[in-house]
Amino acid sequence: MLCNICNKNPATVHLTEIIDGQMSELHICEDCARKKSQAMEQQFGLSDLLAGMADFDKTKSEASAIGMSVKCPICGLTYADFKKIGRLGCGECYNTFRKYLGPLLKRIHGSTQHTGKFPAKAAKVSRKRTGIQELRIRLSKAIESEAFEEAAKIRDQIKELENKELKKKE
Amino acid sequence: MEIRNLLNHTSEWLKGSGPNSDIVISSRIRLARNLSNASFPHWASKKQGEETLDKIKEGFSKVDYLKNTTFLELAKMDSLDKQFLVERHLMSLDHAQKTNSKAVVVDDEEIVSIMVNEEDHIRMQVMQSGFNLYEAWNIINKIDEAIAEKLDFAFLSDWGYLTACPTNAGTGMRGSVMLHLPALVMSQAIDRVLAAIAKLSFTTRGLYGEGTQAMGNFFQISNQISLGPSENEIIESINGLIRQIIEQEIQAREVLSSKNSPLLEDRINRSLGILRSARIITSQETTELLSMVRLGSDLGMVKDIDRRRINELFIVTQPAHLQKIEDKKLSSQERDIKRAQIIREKLNI
């Protein structure tokens, strides 16, 4: 069999591609295979990788198609733009596209809860909440490392803080 | 600060001092930060980019920690100066190639450098010689806090610092350690080590960061995950990994120098011989040979040349450095001749 691309050399590489559920077979020679794989590598940058990951979650409903065209109120980026370029437009994009980005962050980092430092200004606003948040983080870590006694103590502290906040509201 | 003056200065990361400096060249922490309510550099219009640049410049001017720094706008620099700063690891190649509304802030000691309007609005880094991520973190943490008092960062309590690429969100932190691993390469154990690193969600890069080849047995290892673990936990995880790699390199060096001593001594001395006598030499050959001489110096097989002098040679033999020394543009062959001359002068004392 001759190569499907150059029709000159014998085909020694056999490719099966599945695109959108359509299977196609390609029989090509080594030279053409090398050219093809180089072309693929060049096309396949980080943005494709991210976009691919973002696609992973494609909700089957129509709703996702509508969501794709929602514009970020601060910078005007759409989720379709993000999928194309692999970069967000501004900090507010994270709120605008929260429901898509949550699962994406989870896949990239394996977590969606920041436990590191806070900028001084943000800390002032949310310090009270972080008290409980911080404890929740410690709780999940304690459970992970099977330190159950420690976990029970933290759980009690969380309850206590939550009760206090409830009383305040009443 | 005059860029030229840096020629007579040894970058912090090349001092060859600090913990485990026989194997660890340098430790670096980088933080990515963005201003709230402003488009990220790639998405900003020219005007928006300039506004951000001005805002950051003004903010930085009020930060005490940055008073010994110089704010260099890339649009006002020539390409040689930019390449010079890339070679000194003060900014990325990518940053140097695009100039619109971009800047780099460098301190006199070359410990701190901050890229403005790179992929994120602010990318600050602190370098330390040797295996010393915690010290780098202590310095950068103070600078970050001081800047945060003057500028509002894009931040969410659950997702942390918000970055142009979601792969950097959370702490916005990347810790990198530059290692010299000649014995693992020579004993062909390096592929196994690199494969293990990749499995543990760390990345390996070459001497000049993203997209560069490992050259002269230098490997830069950094964390991939930035959201979830705290800054200290990230550093601890990198440290744990690096300690194991150091241990493996030490063992490989012991095996090589005890079992294959004549062979190793031959390679090291041949490398030194070429460097001491060559009349024309490329930058790649220089890096590879210097790597062997550095190993020789670490193992006590090369006695009269210290680590610092070898480290300095790695940098002054880079293309932009050679042209800065000569103070004129040099063709590739002229550079190869000049490079060989400088190496002979420094190694034949």
Side-chain angles (χ1 to χ4, degrees):
Chain A
M1 189 191 297
L2 282 179
C3 168
N4 292 161
I5 295 178
C6 65
N7 276 320
K8 281 180 204 155
N9 306 321
T12 52
V13 178
H14 309 281
L15 278 176
T16 307
E17 284 183 321
I18 301 174
I19 300 168
D20 286 337
Q22 290 282 326
M23 194 170 80
S24 65
E25 281 183 14
L26 199 59
H27 307 281
I28 52 180
C29 69
E30 233 170 90
D31 278 351
C32 291
R34 202 169 298 130
K35 278 179 204 150
K36 198 174 162 66
S37 76
Q38 273 168 3
M40 271 168 69
E41 265 171 38
Q42 277 164 8
Q43 283 171 9
F44 200 72
L46 177 66
S47 60
D48 301 280
L49 209 65
L50 276 175
M53 285 175 94
D55 240 357
F56 215 73
D57 251 2
K58 220 188 254 173
T59 335
K60 297 107 221 159
S61 66
E62 299 271 303
S64 89
I66 298 164
M68 290 286 157
S69 60
V70 170
K71 279 190 175 182
C72 169
I74 299 288
C75 73
L77 182 114
T78 64
Y79 199 70
D81 290 325
F82 167 65
K83 282 184 59 186
K84 204 157 62 189
I85 52 186
R87 301 277 185 278
L88 291 153
C90 71
E92 187 56 30
C93 287
Y94 280 86
N95 277 326
T96 312
F97 310 117
R98 176 168 276 274
K99 70 173 176 183
Y100 301 109
L101 289 174
L104 180 65
L105 287 167
K106 178 89 184 164
R107 265 196 305 281
I108 296 171
H109 299 282
S111 166
T112 49
Q113 182 59 59
H114 174 61
T115 65
K117 69 183 284 193
F118 280 57
K121 284 180 186 171
K124 271 176 215 151
V125 187
S126 50
R127 185 153 285 158
K128 204 167 284 155
R129 196 145 29 102
T130 58
I132 295 178
Q133 254 174 7
E134 187 70 43
L135 286 172
R136 287 216 179 95
I137 294 158
R138 277 176 48 203
L139 177 64
S140 66
K141 278 186 185 159
I143 293 170
E144 241 171 62
S145 57
E146 297 183 15
F148 297 117
E149 260 178 58
E150 169 82 8
K153 267 187 218 158
I154 300 171
R155 185 202 54 207
D156 294 343
Q157 282 176 320
I158 293 175
K159 266 192 194 153
E160 203 178 309
L161 273 176
E162 279 175 342
N163 285 339
K164 262 188 205 163
E165 292 219 336
L166 273 179
K167 268 179 203 156
K168 259 187 220 161
K169 274 181 194 161
E170 282 161 13
Chain B
M1 178 191 70
E2 282 276 327
I3 290 179
R4 237 194 102 74
N5 293 347
L6 292 178
L7 268 180
N8 306 316
H9 182 256
T10 306
S11 308
E12 167 66 26
W13 64 284
L14 287 170
K15 283 189 175 147
S17 55
N20 300 93
S21 53
D22 49 343
I23 293 169
V24 183
I25 310 287
S26 62
S27 305
R28 185 183 76 114
I29 301 265
R30 138 343 222 143
L31 296 177
R33 300 288 185 253
N34 286 286
L35 305 189
S36 55
N37 296 322
S39 290
F40 295 145
H42 77 95
W43 191 248
S45 66
K46 193 163 184 279
K47 188 166 164 273
Q48 287 172 330
E50 273 160 18
E51 280 168 11
T52 303
L53 181 71
D54 290 343
K55 211 169 171 184
I56 291 173
K57 190 174 182 178
E58 214 224 308
F60 283 5
S61 70
K62 296 180 203 149
V63 175
D64 261 1
Y65 275 106
L66 299 178
K67 66 171 183 272
N68 291 324
T69 62
T70 312
F71 196 98
L72 300 160
E73 286 180 41
L74 298 201
K76 296 173 188 164
M77 287 170 75
D78 65 29
S79 60
L80 188 60
D81 279 348
K82 282 186 276 186
Q83 200 192 337
F84 181 77
L85 294 184
V86 173
E87 287 174 2
R88 297 184 83 80
H89 287 202
L90 296 172
M91 69 169 154
S92 66
L93 188 57
D94 199 48
H95 196 51
Q97 282 164 348
K98 301 168 195 149
T99 47
N100 269 347
S101 350
K102 295 182 188 301
V104 60
V105 181
V106 181
D107 84 317
D108 298 346
E109 290 301 308
E110 293 182 78
I111 293 172
V112 183
S113 82
I114 308 177
M115 291 188 281
V116 180
N117 277 339
E118 205 233 26
E119 183 180 302
D120 294 298
H121 293 144
I122 296 173
R123 284 247 173 145
M124 49 184 125
Q125 68 163 20
V126 165
M127 297 232 247
Q128 287 290 294
S129 201
F131 186 22
N132 219 343
L133 281 175
Y134 273 118
E135 186 53 29
W137 166 245
N138 287 337
I139 299 171
I140 206 166
N141 190 24
K142 282 181 194 141
I143 297 171
D144 178 47
E145 249 146 53
I147 295 175
E149 279 175 23
K150 308 295 173 196
L151 296 167
D152 275 327
F153 289 151
F155 182 89
L156 286 170
S157 62
D158 55 349
W159 292 349
Y161 294 90
L162 306 174
T163 50
C165 185
T167 52
N168 295 310
T171 55
M173 183 172 106
R174 187 91 61 228
S176 314
V177 177
M178 178 100 68
L179 297 160
H180 183 227
L181 306 173
L184 283 173
V185 173
M186 272 189 278
S187 54
Q188 290 171 350
I190 193 72
D191 288 342
R192 184 175 48 80
V193 174
L194 295 184
I197 293 170
K199 270 195 197 137
L200 294 167
S201 319
F202 291 87
T203 41
T204 315
R205 299 189 174 111
L207 204 48
Y208 282 90
E210 209 159 329
T212 62
Q213 287 280 319
M215 192 168 61
N217 310 316
F218 291 102
F219 299 87
Q220 209 182 138
I221 292 166
S222 36
N223 62 299
Q224 228 165 6
I225 289 171
S226 56
L227 172 63
S230 68
E231 290 84 358
N232 278 317
E233 287 168 326
I234 292 172
I235 293 172
E236 213 25 74
S237 71
I238 304 172
N239 280 352
L241 176 70
I242 299 295
R243 272 185 225 115
Q244 289 182 48
I245 301 173
I246 293 174
E247 201 44 53
Q248 302 237 343
E249 171 69 15
I250 292 173
Q251 280 175 17
R253 286 182 184 193
E254 273 165 13
V255 171
L256 276 181
S257 56
S258 62
K259 286 196 181 144
N260 285 314
S261 187
L263 202 73
L264 186 63
E265 262 183 83
D266 180 69
R267 248 189 102 170
I268 288 166
N269 283 294
R270 273 171 187 272
S271 302
L272 187 55
I274 295 173
L275 288 168
R276 275 182 166 152
S277 27
R279 278 0 191 214
I280 299 176
I281 194 164
T282 63
S283 141
Q284 175 155 4
E285 188 181 5
T286 305
T287 308
E288 278 158 15
L289 297 175
L290 280 174
S291 164
M292 293 313 300
V293 175
R294 194 181 199 274
L295 177 64
S297 168
D298 291 343
L299 295 175
M301 291 180 180
V302 173
K303 295 222 157 49
D304 51 345
I305 306 168
D306 66 1
R307 207 178 285 147
R308 183 175 177 143
R309 200 171 350 143
I310 300 168
N311 283 358
E312 278 171 7
L313 272 177
F314 278 113
I315 193 104
V316 299
T317 54
Q318 299 284 330
H321 275 73
L322 292 171
Q323 296 176 70
K324 274 278 171 201
I325 292 168
E326 283 291 275
D327 207 11
K328 66 172 185 201
K329 217 171 153 44
L330 300 173
S331 70
S332 160
Q333 199 188 357
E334 286 170 328
R335 290 202 299 266
D336 291 350
I337 294 171
K338 181 70 191 168
R339 181 178 297 116
Q341 184 203 328
I342 289 178
I343 296 169
R344 287 200 310 278
E345 284 167 10
K346 297 252 180 193
L347 292 183
N348 288 312
I349 302 171

